[in-house]
Amino acid sequence: MSFFKHKYFKPFKNIFVLFLVGFAVWMLFFDANSWLIHHELNTDIEDLENEKEYYKKEIQKDKKAIKELSTEEGLEKFAREEYYMKRENEEIYIIEYEDSLKTE
């Protein structure tokens, strides 16, 4: 019992201090609205805000691509580059370099 007679344990003899410490520990760690849960939710909010910014940037890129494809020249350029389409009486030669080939 001489362990509890140390000067650091003197405030814990008061029932109100014990209750306050117990209440603080309960609210910080064990309650449904604890600090740990709030920290986890704040991390989730930050992740979702970052994801929101990413999708906003992607939407802007897609709007730009749609604007380019809405013109006759842009649509023709896309068809020629992606689907290798050509006009009548026209020859297309595809040149691929070794470093641009996909190897598995």
Side-chain angles (χ1 to χ4, degrees):
M1 285 312 245
S2 66
F3 181 72
F4 292 108
K5 293 189 184 225
H6 198 272
K7 67 179 180 177
Y8 295 116
F9 290 109
K10 188 173 184 179
F12 293 106
K13 290 181 180 178
N14 189 342
I15 188 74
F16 296 111
V17 173
L18 282 174
F19 180 74
L20 182 64
V21 168
F23 179 74
V25 167
W26 179 264
M27 292 305 290
L28 284 174
F29 299 108
F30 301 116
D31 191 47
N33 300 317
S34 70
W35 177 79
L36 296 173
I37 292 174
H38 277 284
H39 180 69
E40 182 180 333
L41 291 175
N42 286 337
T43 305
D44 290 344
I45 288 171
E46 289 176 10
D47 291 342
L48 290 172
E49 286 177 352
N50 291 337
E51 192 173 328
K52 180 180 169 184
E53 289 299 319
Y54 169 76
Y55 285 123
K56 280 185 179 182
K57 290 177 185 176
E58 289 296 315
I59 288 171
Q60 291 299 324
K61 276 200 296 188
D62 291 343
K63 283 182 181 179
K64 183 180 176 186
I66 289 171
K67 187 176 180 182
E68 289 176 1
L69 289 174
S70 64
T71 63
E72 189 70 30
E73 295 85 23
L75 189 60
E76 182 180 348
K77 179 182 175 187
F78 179 77
R80 286 173 168 266
E81 289 177 358
E82 294 296 320
Y83 297 108
Y84 306 116
M85 292 185 171
K86 63 178 184 161
R87 294 185 183 141
E88 284 190 37
N89 300 326
E90 185 179 55
E91 295 293 325
I92 296 179
Y93 297 100
I94 300 171
I95 301 172
E96 294 181 346
Y97 298 102
E98 285 185 32
D99 58 349
S100 65
L101 294 176
K102 295 179 183 176
T103 58
E104 292 182 18

